Amino acid sequence: MTEPLEKRLEKAMAELQAAQEAVARTERELRSASFAALSSDRAVRATAGPQGELTGIEFLENKYRDMSPQELAASVLEAASAARLKMNRHVMKAMAPFTEPSSDLPELKGFELDWERIFGPEVLREDDEDTARGPATPAWRDALGDEGED
């Protein structure tokens, strides 16, 4: 027997209210989130804020003194990119529950987000921290090669 419309509407309204409260909590949490990442040469630590903006750069152990301008710039870009990627993945994980359909109400299907379009393809690649592989040499390091002293 089908559930009366009033009861289904009441359930839908309760779920909607719970979802609105959860979204508000998630927004508050995301507004205060930040993630830091190190460059592969461990010379730079960059921090990304809640909207992926760069909020901090640290030059570690005076390593920058022995680096060419191109090497330092590459380290800064690598660390900043990694910090933004961590933030983007955090946003994806935080928003995941809102993209899934309701288990109680099949009419509430959730919504689809094209994370790749929003954050770029890197966000969908396997997280390097979750793999057992050793650190790969970043492509920008290969590009510098012996010509890094331009």
Side-chain angles (χ1 to χ4, degrees), residues 7-135:
K7 190 71 169 172
R8 291 180 69 201
L9 186 57
E10 186 178 305
K11 275 186 180 178
M13 291 302 292
E15 188 157 336
L16 177 61
Q17 182 176 358
Q20 288 173 329
E21 291 168 1
V23 166
R25 277 192 309 275
T26 302
E27 284 178 353
R28 282 191 303 275
E29 186 273 327
L30 288 175
R31 268 189 247 120
S32 64
S34 68
F35 284 87
L38 290 175
S39 59
S40 59
D41 59 12
R42 305 181 80 63
V44 177
R45 177 184 296 118
T47 305
Q51 295 178 338
E53 74 278 15
L54 194 58
T55 60
I57 292 282
E58 294 175 67
F59 300 103
L60 306 172
E61 301 175 16
N62 291 321
K63 291 180 180 181
Y64 69 93
R65 293 179 188 263
D66 298 325
M67 299 172 81
S68 71
Q70 294 85 0
E71 288 172 323
L72 180 57
S75 290
V76 168
L77 290 174
E78 178 192 7
S81 180
R84 286 185 63 228
L85 183 59
K86 284 182 177 185
M87 177 56 74
N88 294 346
R89 287 182 174 154
H90 180 69
V91 168
M92 282 177 54
K93 287 176 186 172
M95 297 303 291
F98 309 114
T99 64
E100 297 169 1
S102 167
S103 57
D104 294 335
L105 299 166
E107 296 86 1
L108 298 178
K109 298 189 187 314
F111 58 93
E112 288 186 32
L113 290 173
D114 186 349
W115 295 115
E116 185 174 355
R117 197 179 98 227
I118 294 169
F119 294 129
E122 301 83 27
V123 77
L124 298 177
R125 292 190 187 127
E126 190 170 336
D127 189 353
D128 291 337
E129 292 179 1
D130 293 340
T131 63
R133 293 176 296 173

